[in-house]
Structures are given as C-alpha cells and as structure tokens.
Amino acid sequence: MSKSASTSIPATGSCVPVDTVDVVLPLAVPGAFTYQLPAELAEQVVVGSRVVVPLGKRKYYTAIVIRRPGTFPVDTEGLKPVADLVDAAPLILPRQLDFWRWMANYYMCTPGEVMKAALPSGLKLESETRVSLAEEFTEEDEEALADAISKDEEDAPSAALQTLTPRQHILLQALRAVPAGKSLTIDELLKKCKAETGLLPALRRLIEDGVVQVSERLSRAYRPRTASHLRLAPDYQSEAAQHALLDALKRSPRQAEIVMALIAEPQLARAEVRRRWPGSESALATLRRKGVVDTFEVAVDRLTTHTADPAAARPVLNAAQQTAHDAILREWEEKDVCLLHGVTSSGKTEIYTSLIRRTLDAGRQVLYLVPEIALTTQITTRLGRVFGSDMGVYHSKFPDVERVELWQRQLTSRAFPLILGVRSSLFLPFSNLGLVIVDEEHETSYKQQDPAPRYNARDAAIVLARLCGAKVLLGTATPAVESYYNATVSHKYGYVALTERFGGVQLPQIFVEDVKELRRKKQMTTPFSPRLTQEINHALAEGEQAILFQNRRGYAPVLECRKCGWTPRCTACDVPLTYHRQASRLVCHYCGASYPVPTLCPNCEEPSLHAVGIGTEKIEESVASCFPAARVARMDLDTTRTRSAYEQIIRDFQTGQTDVLIGTQMVTKGLDFDRVRVVGILNADQMLSVPNFRAYERAFQMMAQVAGRAGRRGRQGIVVLQTRQPDIPLVHQVVAHDYAAMFAQQLREREAFRYPPFVRLIDIYLKHRDESTCAAAAEAFAALLHPHFADALLGPDSPAVSRVQYLHIRKLVLKVALDLPIQGVRRTLLAARRALIARPAYRSVNLFFDVDPL
C-alpha cells in the first residue's frame, strides 16, 4: 500500500536502496504519497510530471510529482511502483507547486483538492471500473437461472446462483447482450437496465459471488484534434522522380496541379486541396492508389485566435487617464499592489490596455481576471482588437478539450502572453508573469464556495504575483471595504483615484421611489413605479434602452396557499421552492431538484395557491404587458447556461436588437452599452435583508454598479431606485454616489463588533445526514476549541439554510485577532478536527473550514 510522505516507512522486511517520488493525488487526502520509481523511468520523471499510480486494490490515478527525495533504503514490500509516465516534460511549473502549497495551507484544505480544482478534467486521468460476465458463467447457467426465477424454484443451477434476485437477472441479461471481449462502465450498465433503484446492491452481490468480473481501464478524456494532410510519397522526393512523374501526368492536368502544389509545399491540408480545386477527390484517390501521395494526420488547435486591428494597437489616453496611468507606475515603484478606484465609465479598461501593452513590450506575461463569464464576451472583443493572437481566453464555459489545449500551449514557446479569464485562470502555468489585473475586484464571484479549495481569487492573485515577481492592479468603482482599507488606511497597497467619467459625462441622476407609499395610495399596480414607467416609455420613444435589475430568478420566490399558508419546500433542503412559470415547475435553487406544480394545496386541498414575490420571469411578463412594443431579453442563470447564450444576449442588446434587458446581478458587472438611458432597481430592500455583516456593503456595490450602466455616451443617465425604506443612510449614499460615507459608516460598525478588516474570520461547517449527530459533533468541536479561543469562537448555530441535499448543517465562527499567529491557529483547528473525527460517533461527519468567508 502507498505510504504518506509525512509518515516514515517501517523497515519490517529487507530494506534495499530504492529511488522514490512523492506525488499528489486528486483526492481529499492529507499530505503526499510515496511510490517506488522503476529504473526505466528514473531518467524521465521530473518534478511537475504526471505519472500513473495504483491506489488500493484496483484503482489507478494520475498524480503530480512534487518531490524526488532520492535513493534511500526502504522496505519494498510496502511500497508500490509508479505504473507509467504520462508527460516527458513537466505539466506543472515549480512556482505553481509553491502556489498550490500556499493555497492548501492558507485555505486549510488538502493538496489533492487544490490539484483537482487546478487541472482541467482532460488532464486528470482516472481509471474507470468496467464490468462483464465472468468467463465461467455460461449461457446454460443463465437459462437455468431464468427457469428457476420464473418457477420460483429454490434449486438454482449452482450454489452461487441460488440467492439471485429478479434485479440481478436484469443485470445479467444486460451483460449477456454485450459482445464477447467487451465490457460496460457501471453507469452504462445501469442505463441499459432502465431500473430506478436497487441495482447497485444487486450488482455488488454478483461481483462477490464471482458471476460478474470487474476490471479497471485508464480513460483518457482528452484527444487532440487532427486534420488530414497530404505529402508526396518517399519515392517522389527527388527532383528527377518529380520530373518523370509530371511527364507521366500530362494527360491528367488536375493530378499534375496537385503534385506541383505538393512540390512547392512539402505538405498540404486536405481541406486546402479541396478549397483550391473543387471536385478534386477523384484525382486525389487516383494519386493515392498509384502510391504518389501519402495521407497523414496532423494535430491542430481548437483554440480561437483573434485578429488585431492596427488602428487600435496603441490606445490613446485622455488627460485624466494618463495621470492615473502614471500614478499607478509611481505606486508600483514602492508597492506591488495598487488599487485603481475609478468611477463607472471612467475608462479604466483603456488604462488596463496601456499597462498590458507596456508589460508585453517588456517580454512578460499578463493575467487579466474578470469575475463573471458574461464579462469576457465584451472584453474579449475589445482586447482582441488590440492584442489579436497574443490573447488567450480561459473559463469553464469552454469545452474541456480547449482548456487542456490552452494549458498545454502555455508550456510551449507559443504561449499566449495575455490570458483573459475567470478565477480558474490563476492555476494556468505562467513562466514569466509580470502583471495581474483584477477587474471589479470587489465582486463576490471571485470567491470559490464549494468544493474546496474555498479561495478568493483576488487574494490568491496577489500571492501568485508575489511568487512570480509580478505587479497587481485592483480595479473597481466600488472597492471592497478590506481593499479600500489596505489602500487608504493601512497603506499596504498603493491608491489611485479616477473621478472623471470618459467624455465628461455626468454620473447618472438617481430618483428614489417609496414603494410602500405608492402601493398604499394604489398608484403602483405593476412592479414598476409611475416614474420608472414614464422614463422607460420616454427612452423607448427616443430609440434608447433600459436595464431592469431584480436579483431573483424564476417567476416567484414562493408559492403560498391563501387559506392555510402552506408553502412547498424542497424535500432535500430546508428552503422553499421557487416557482418557474415557463417550465411549469417548482425548483430548489440549492440542490437543483425539480417538482411539479400542485393544482391543490396538499394541506387543506383548496385550489388557492398564489405566487408571492417577484422574480425575473415575472418582470419579463410585466414588461411585455406594460411596454408591448419593446423587445425584451432576460439574463439570469436560466437563460445563460451556455457560452453562446451569454454572447447572444449581450450581442443583441449591444446592437440594439433588444430594447429592455432584465437581469440578476449579472447585469451589474462592468458591461458597457452605448444606448442605455434608464436603469430600474426594482427591489433595493431585498439586498439589505441578507443575514451577513457585508449586506450593506454589497447592496451599495450592486446598486452603484448597475446605476453605472446608465448614460455612458453623451448624456446623463437616469436611475429609478424602488424601496420601502427611502430614509435609511445607505439609500442617501447611493443617490449621492458617496462611497467614502458608506466606507466610514461600515468601518465604525466593524470595529465596534470585531469584523474584517479588524479581525480575520474563519467559518467552520459541520454536515451530516443525522441532525442529532451533526448537532452533537458541533458541540463537541466547540468544546475542543473553547480553551484556546474563548469568546473569539461563536456558536455552534444553525445557519439560515440549515439543510442542503439531505445534509444537516451547523456553523461556528472564529474571529482571529490580527496579532495572533495564523499558523498556530491553523494547527489548533486541524488538530481539533483530527481529534473529533477520531471518535467513532463522529467519523462520518464532514467538517471543513471557510477562510475569509464572504
């Protein structure tokens, strides 16, 4: 069995000098594993290579070599050998491994979890379990079994078959239909059987009885794309042979043209031959039959390349932008991180572009991070015009094979100097990183929630840049409180402000509508206040556009019985179901489960169910009713599940094919549209009711950002903010575009109640299917920690959503003083977790940490 690198290998047998490697597996297991390195691989394996290693009785995994300890005496009976080498060159660079180690340590997860998050699926080879009938199980055995089952006989044809059930018979019938020598994965087998439950235990018994045999096959998810190419056969490579061949082809002009092309170019793509000479297949077939032309396959890129526009190659900055640009360079002379605080539509992207060009001219690489995939659609076009084929794009909406190819390309001399991507691009191999730009640095989308590592890409980017000797630019109109504090109070970061909108356009005018008062006076019968309705009508009449922001998808958050108050809830999660009218389903937004919409209340059996609350679907319906001439689009998770869907919605709105865009927080994140005149914030109160100490900060950021989409070209925009609390300070701060006032208020509150940036937070979660076990484990874990942290530890409590996917949840919050050594805190927490799960009653409890939660 493989041994953990952190554990000494006992010398129980004869010890001989053995060459070993330490590897990381893509599993949530602590530490590394040590394997014996066969002599034939010793010269080829280097740190960062992928190797195939066995784990357990049958499974094989791709592992990354993180260390070669060298040759030392070891008990070879307890050490498994490396099975194979996947890469002759390193797939992971040394700085990446350092970055992985930091991430596993800081975010309190395992190196395997970091590896699993970092690598595209196509680079993580894993053996798959395949099943087939045992060779000794004959057709006569199955016929006898069928007779025994149909007659309910007890005398089955053999002892192994006596206990078989009808479900096992279904499995055997499916396996008998598989051609000889072939096998099925377990998923393929279950799909063939088309039965809902009970098949896995039945299959397990068949395996134990030896009726079904199991094998493991290493699956390679990635296959390079190839294209058919042509070249002259070896016999026709000499000049004399070519002259003789052309003489022989005088009566076949098409064949002669193809041969002449292959003389001029040693190889030609078959598609190119078809393009040059339509209808040339017959001539090609003849040349191949004569042995004149050979066909071979060449690997080709799947990656999309961009074409630069020479006119856009060098951005021209206005006076304010140039001043900010120069100030950033001065800040970088003393600090590695700088915060660019620029109001919406101030032209931050032009500054980014100039800094990118400067970095590329110096021969270094740039990573440009955006928080949402939706943002890459617009920014790809803008940067593509400037940098062309120097830019690569990386995010999860691309097929896995494209992400694999981009990863592999970054390890070659053809690496993209500029990478545009979302948080996962941090893990790409950068050989000479010089600049990291984190656009919209305040966005919560930079935080990975599940699974581990639960990292914040903004903070991780700063560490990656430090490891690579690169500079970092954080850009936003509404900085995170921690970032603004680090820049203006503790002066840990540099700070540059850009207060002018591009072209001198004024910030939008914000009107506050008191929804409570309007509804009391019966002046608001739709989701839109009279002012918002008037402004949208005016914009549409002048050929302008509107954005409506409602941070709830679906038709209504809740269905409710008018008579008894019953609401449908998810059976797996402790949340009400959201009504999706277009799909005519009730959907859980936590686990994704879908349920039919009941016609009667199951509690009182009355047909009195009605929708409570407003989602984006209902807004879309209301827009169609109130503004029948408007062309409407909706951008939320339901309408943007594919890359092309994102792009189409944004393209249609940008080109004026859509008049009104309805969206969730996706529409707040840095999108730039020329003709948007009106923005409607339909329910500001919803953002303030979240049980989180950052609720006011986030509400300000979302409202300020979506307001910034209005009036970007030539004239001042209009924002209508609908709320039931028009007099609270936050609303006044949003109306006045007063970030400094919001920051000052938040800083006072956080200092008083001990929240970041004055402490570090670590959330501790425990999950288990049994509620009492989960609660008891949480209390036991709190008891282990209280002697060390006393009042700094809060809880355990049930969170707002206390059950997800059948797992009950308990939460503790640890407030770590800034002067407390964080390494000691981590050691204490990890030791307490080991002590807890060592108790048999809590061994199955899932306990994890969320460092710097949002």
Side-chain angles (χ1 to χ4, degrees):
M1 188 172 180
S2 53
K3 304 288 183 181
S4 171
S6 59
T7 306
S8 60
I9 302 172
T12 55
S14 58
C15 292
V16 295
V18 171
D19 198 0
T20 61
V21 290
D22 292 345
V23 303
V24 169
L25 294 165
L27 302 170
V29 289
F33 287 78
T34 301
Y35 284 84
Q36 180 181 346
L37 188 60
E40 62 271 17
L41 297 179
E43 297 298 320
Q44 304 173 58
V45 172
V46 295
V47 171
S49 295
R50 278 184 304 168
V51 292
V52 177
V53 295
L55 186 69
K57 293 182 179 179
R58 296 190 183 93
K59 289 292 259 185
Y60 285 83
Y61 288 92
T62 302
I64 299 291
V65 176
I66 61 168
R67 196 166 72 100
R68 288 197 60 175
T71 303
F72 59 88
V74 68
D75 175 15
T76 55
E77 291 183 6
L79 203 62
K80 288 187 175 182
V82 170
D84 198 5
L85 173 68
V86 181
D87 305 298
L91 185 77
I92 308 296
L93 302 178
R95 283 173 183 155
Q96 280 179 281
L97 288 176
D98 292 339
F99 183 54
W100 286 15
R101 291 186 186 99
W102 171 83
M103 186 169 280
N105 178 54
Y106 186 82
Y107 290 106
M108 302 178 69
C109 61
T110 67
E113 288 172 314
V114 178
M115 174 187 172
K116 195 166 185 178
L119 294 180
S121 298
L123 295 177
K124 299 188 292 257
L125 310 183
E126 181 178 338
S127 65
E128 58 183 9
T129 303
R130 303 187 72 88
V131 292
S132 58
L133 283 178
E135 293 180 3
E136 60 271 19
F137 186 72
T138 65
E139 193 170 345
E140 289 76 15
D141 288 332
E142 187 181 358
E143 290 173 356
L145 172 65
D147 289 341
I149 290 174
S150 63
K151 297 174 183 177
D152 199 22
E153 294 177 358
E154 296 182 0
D155 52 342
S158 69
L161 302 179
Q162 284 182 4
T163 56
L164 294 182
T165 65
R167 281 194 179 91
Q168 291 169 329
H169 180 51
I170 292 170
L171 290 166
L172 292 175
Q173 284 182 316
L175 289 171
R176 289 297 296 173
V178 177
K182 301 288 184 181
S183 58
L184 296 174
T185 66
I186 292 176
D187 284 343
E188 290 169 345
L189 176 60
L190 298 181
K191 193 177 292 184
K192 274 181 173 291
C193 295
K194 297 178 182 177
E196 294 184 3
T197 57
L199 287 179
L200 283 176
L203 178 62
R204 191 179 303 115
R205 181 62 186 274
L206 289 173
I207 294 169
E208 292 170 355
D209 288 344
V211 178
V212 170
Q213 60 187 11
V214 177
S215 61
E216 293 289 321
R217 181 183 300 174
L218 199 65
S219 62
R220 293 181 178 265
Y222 170 72
R223 295 284 186 276
R225 175 184 285 177
T226 59
S228 183
H229 279 56
L230 306 170
R231 64 188 169 199
L232 289 176
D235 292 344
Y236 298 96
Q237 295 295 326
S238 68
E239 189 174 339
Q242 290 168 1
H243 279 300
L245 175 61
L246 290 172
D247 287 339
L249 295 176
K250 284 181 179 179
R251 294 188 178 184
S252 305
R254 180 55 53 85
Q255 294 179 37
E257 287 176 353
I258 294 172
V259 169
M260 290 176 67
L262 288 172
I263 292 172
E265 301 178 55
Q267 64 181 49
L268 274 176
R270 190 167 179 172
E272 176 65 14
V273 173
R274 289 199 197 99
R275 188 188 65 81
R276 289 191 197 177
W277 299 285
S280 60
E281 280 300 318
S282 176
L284 275 178
T286 303
L287 289 172
R288 287 199 305 273
R289 189 172 63 251
K290 292 177 179 178
V292 174
V293 170
D294 286 342
T295 303
F296 63 101
E297 297 297 311
V298 173
V300 295
D301 274 349
R302 293 180 172 93
L303 302 175
T304 302
T305 55
H306 305 272
T307 303
D309 178 1
R314 296 280 173 178
V316 178
L317 305 181
N318 64 22
Q321 291 169 336
Q322 188 64 53
T323 300
H325 174 277
D326 297 341
I328 291 167
L329 296 180
R330 286 195 299 272
E331 292 287 353
W332 278 342
E333 291 175 2
E334 297 183 3
K335 300 180 176 73
D336 291 332
V337 183
C338 181
L339 172 64
L340 175 59
H341 183 189
V343 298
T344 55
S345 195
S346 57
K348 293 186 290 295
T349 304
E350 282 71 22
I351 297 175
Y352 300 157
T353 303
S354 181
L355 293 169
I356 292 169
R357 174 60 67 193
R358 184 176 182 274
T359 307
L360 298 190
D361 288 347
R364 304 198 70 182
Q365 294 172 303
V366 177
L367 172 60
Y368 189 130
L369 287 176
V370 292
E372 285 275 2
I373 294 167
L375 279 182
T376 62
T377 301
Q378 279 198 335
I379 201 67
T380 295
T381 303
R382 294 176 69 176
L383 294 182
R385 285 199 300 265
V386 179
F387 300 105
S389 58
D390 284 344
M391 182 181 72
V393 183
Y394 188 85
H395 59 66
S396 61
K397 291 292 183 183
F398 282 110
D400 189 69
V401 289
E402 291 187 27
R403 283 180 282 151
V404 169
E405 288 191 2
L406 191 144
W407 184 292
Q408 292 175 331
R409 181 165 172 169
Q410 291 306 100
L411 293 166
T412 70
S413 58
R414 298 170 53 242
F416 290 110
L418 168 62
I419 292 292
L420 169 67
V422 294
R423 61 175 182 253
S424 56
S425 348
L426 281 172
F427 296 109
L428 285 168
F430 293 98
S431 58
N432 190 19
L433 187 63
L435 172 63
V436 180
I437 295 172
V438 185
D439 196 13
E440 308 295 346
E441 65 86 27
H442 66 279
E443 278 291 347
T444 57
S445 301
Y446 281 124
K447 173 70 172 177
Q448 163 75 11
Q449 299 296 342
D450 279 308
R454 296 170 179 85
Y455 65 99
N456 188 312
R458 177 197 63 209
D459 301 339
I462 293 171
V463 174
L464 176 66
R466 186 178 70 235
L467 292 172
C468 296
K471 301 296 183 182
V472 179
L473 182 61
L474 309 177
T476 178
T478 53
V481 165
E482 290 90 336
S483 297
Y484 196 74
Y485 179 88
N486 286 333
T488 62
V489 179
S490 68
H491 302 291
K492 184 179 176 182
Y493 303 160
Y495 177 77
V496 175
L498 187 58
T499 57
E500 269 184 38
R501 274 191 145 193
F502 186 82
V505 178
Q506 292 181 313
L507 287 166
Q509 188 176 8
I510 301 178
F511 297 96
V512 178
E513 292 285 274
D514 186 345
V515 173
K516 184 178 180 181
E517 185 66 13
L518 289 170
R519 291 199 185 280
R520 187 184 69 80
K521 294 178 179 178
K522 299 184 179 179
Q523 295 177 354
M524 186 173 168
T525 56
T526 71
F528 318 120
S529 64
R531 160 77 75 164
L532 181 55
T533 303
Q534 176 187 335
E535 296 294 350
I536 293 174
N537 276 322
H538 184 63
L540 295 177
E542 295 193 5
E544 295 174 318
Q545 296 170 306
I547 291 177
L548 300 177
F549 170 55
Q550 174 70 359
N551 205 24
R552 291 268 190 185
R553 64 187 176 99
Y555 187 83
V558 176
L559 277 187
E560 184 180 76
C561 176
R562 294 179 192 272
K563 185 175 181 181
C564 69
W566 174 86
T567 60
R569 303 183 73 85
C570 179
T571 57
C573 309
D574 184 26
V575 292
L577 297 169
T578 300
Y579 176 40
H580 287 249
R581 187 168 182 174
Q582 290 184 0
S584 190
R585 303 289 290 176
L586 296 171
V587 179
C588 175
H589 287 178
Y590 281 79
C591 70
S594 174
Y595 304 81
V597 180
T599 55
L600 300 176
C601 171
N603 190 44
C604 66
E605 298 185 350
E606 291 290 331
S608 54
L609 295 175
H610 72 116
V612 178
I614 300 172
T616 50
E617 271 188 27
K618 191 168 185 178
I619 299 300
E620 186 177 23
E621 180 185 271
S622 299
V623 169
S625 173
C626 297
F627 312 101
R631 295 163 296 178
V632 186
R634 174 164 54 92
M635 189 162 76
D636 56 25
L637 186 61
D638 299 320
T639 61
T640 56
R641 295 192 181 275
T642 65
R643 183 179 76 187
S644 59
Y646 272 114
E647 294 171 352
Q648 190 63 47
I649 292 170
I650 292 171
R651 190 183 304 116
D652 287 349
F653 195 64
Q654 196 163 17
T655 57
Q657 297 178 55
T658 303
D659 300 314
V660 180
L661 178 63
I662 301 157
T664 56
Q665 59 182 342
M666 292 180 184
V667 300
T668 71
K669 300 182 180 181
L671 296 170
D672 186 6
F673 301 113
D674 292 350
R675 291 188 288 273
V676 175
R677 167 73 170 161
V678 180
V679 166
I681 300 172
L682 302 182
N683 187 357
D685 307 291
Q686 174 191 309
M687 293 176 270
L688 302 174
S689 59
V690 179
N692 187 293
F693 74 94
R694 286 193 172 92
Y696 269 52
E697 175 193 359
R698 288 183 189 166
F700 180 94
Q701 289 165 342
M702 276 198 278
M703 286 191 276
Q705 288 285 341
V706 74
R709 304 312 110 203
R712 291 183 150 242
R713 296 292 184 272
R715 58 186 296 191
Q716 188 179 25
I718 291 172
V719 178
V720 179
L721 190 160
Q722 299 182 172
T723 177
R724 290 180 174 82
Q725 308 173 73
D727 297 322
I728 62 173
L730 183 72
V731 171
H732 296 294
Q733 291 157 6
V734 172
V735 170
H737 307 283
D738 194 349
Y739 176 86
M742 185 278 295
F743 172 78
Q745 178 188 351
Q746 286 298 298
L747 212 59
R748 288 192 298 271
E749 292 180 5
R750 294 189 188 188
E751 186 173 22
F753 294 101
R754 298 183 65 241
Y755 279 103
F758 300 102
V759 297
R760 294 188 181 97
L761 285 188
I762 301 176
D763 284 351
I764 305 164
Y765 288 93
L766 298 93
K767 295 184 178 182
H768 196 271
R769 280 184 168 266
D770 181 69
E771 185 174 12
S772 59
T773 300
C774 186
E779 292 291 348
F781 193 67
L784 290 170
L785 295 181
H786 267 302
H788 302 278
F789 301 111
D791 294 340
L793 183 70
L794 307 179
D797 293 304
S798 296
V801 178
S802 61
R803 186 170 63 106
V804 175
Q805 291 183 317
Y806 297 104
L807 294 176
H808 294 274
I809 306 170
R810 290 294 183 273
K811 177 183 175 183
L812 298 96
V813 176
L814 180 61
K815 295 182 176 181
V816 182
L818 297 180
D819 58 354
L820 204 61
I822 194 65
Q823 287 294 349
V825 172
R826 292 193 189 100
R827 283 195 296 270
T828 301
L829 291 173
L830 294 173
R833 180 170 68 178
R834 287 193 297 271
L836 182 77
I837 61 178
R839 303 179 189 179
Y842 305 135
R843 197 161 290 158
S844 58
V845 172
N846 178 18
L847 190 157
F848 62 87
F849 307 99
D850 186 4
V851 180
D852 300 334
L854 291 183

